[in-house]
Amino acid sequence: MKSAIITLACYFVIALILTPALTWAAADQLEEILREQTKARLEDKIKTLQRQEQLENLKRDQETSQSQRQLDQIKQQKSEPSQAQKPQVNQNQQQLDQLRNDQQLERLQTDQQINRIQRETDPSRQQQQINDLQRQQQLNSLQDQIRRNQTQQDLDRLRHQQQNLLAR
């Protein structure tokens, strides 16, 4: 009987010792799983940001190319641009060139920001940086749209002037 009580007491002591250790191990595993899930979500957000940036870049490139084609058409129409139009044509070309340069600079800056975000180890700081980048991308997109619209208006004005000169 004594041996049964001693055996039971040993089991009881072992259970008391192992239970917290097993609980801590489970908690550690849970924390690790949560960290991995957070990391995966942040990586997905970064990939989404990269895809959005690529789509935005393609859109910008298409619009800039279209504006360049329109300007080239104006330059190559039968009638040479009048002396009054030449400064406008040159100004539009400079605007398009500046727009391209600005877009290229924005791409490089965005790539640098994405690289910094990927290197960040603190998930909350990484999330904050993602949010900041998204806001900056939205702002850049709106500013680019304003510049493209202004350039398009200038091109339309030039084309209209050219058509009026040809009609005379």
Side-chain angles (χ1 to χ4, degrees):
M1 174 112 159
K2 275 188 173 180
S3 67
I5 294 175
I6 292 173
T7 306
L8 185 59
C10 287
Y11 283 131
F12 184 70
V13 169
I14 291 173
L16 287 175
I17 293 173
L18 289 181
T19 300
L22 292 174
T23 304
W24 289 326
D28 287 346
Q29 287 177 335
L30 179 61
E31 283 181 37
E32 181 63 28
I33 290 170
L34 291 174
R35 275 195 300 272
E36 288 175 10
Q37 287 176 341
T38 301
K39 183 179 178 182
R41 278 194 301 273
L42 289 172
E43 287 174 357
D44 286 344
K45 282 187 176 186
I46 291 170
K47 287 177 185 176
T48 300
L49 272 175
Q50 287 173 319
R51 283 192 300 274
Q52 288 172 343
E53 182 67 18
Q54 287 173 342
L55 287 173
E56 193 67 28
N57 288 338
L58 287 172
K59 180 180 172 185
R60 289 177 191 148
D61 288 345
Q62 287 174 339
E63 290 174 352
T64 304
S65 295
Q66 180 182 3
S67 295
Q68 183 64 55
R69 283 191 301 276
Q70 290 173 350
L71 184 59
D72 291 343
Q73 277 180 335
I74 290 171
K75 287 178 182 178
Q76 296 191 5
Q77 284 184 350
K78 289 183 181 180
S79 169
E80 276 292 311
S82 68
Q83 292 300 326
Q85 283 184 313
K86 283 185 182 180
Q88 287 178 324
V89 169
N90 291 337
Q91 180 183 1
N92 281 13
Q93 185 63 58
Q94 287 176 347
Q95 285 175 335
L96 282 173
D97 292 343
Q98 183 64 43
L99 187 59
R100 279 192 197 102
N101 290 338
D102 291 345
Q103 289 170 348
Q104 188 175 12
L105 181 60
E106 286 174 15
R107 286 179 188 145
L108 292 173
Q109 289 171 339
T110 300
D111 287 345
Q112 286 178 334
Q113 286 177 306
I114 288 173
N115 287 336
R116 267 196 303 273
I117 290 170
Q118 288 173 326
R119 288 192 306 268
E120 180 60 56
T121 56
D122 181 10
S124 62
R125 284 185 43 88
Q126 194 174 38
Q127 180 61 52
Q128 181 61 41
Q129 289 176 354
I130 288 171
N131 293 341
D132 291 345
L133 180 58
Q134 286 175 324
R135 280 191 294 278
Q136 186 63 43
Q137 284 178 326
Q138 290 171 343
L139 180 63
N140 288 345
S141 179
L142 291 172
Q143 288 172 338
D144 284 345
Q145 187 63 44
I146 290 169
R147 288 187 298 224
R148 284 191 304 268
N149 288 344
Q150 181 63 46
T151 302
Q152 188 61 48
Q153 288 173 355
D154 292 344
L155 285 170
D156 292 344
R157 193 175 18 261
L158 259 177
R159 186 178 306 108
H160 182 70
Q161 288 174 352
Q162 185 98 21
Q163 289 171 349
N164 286 344
L165 286 174
L166 292 174
R168 291 182 188 172

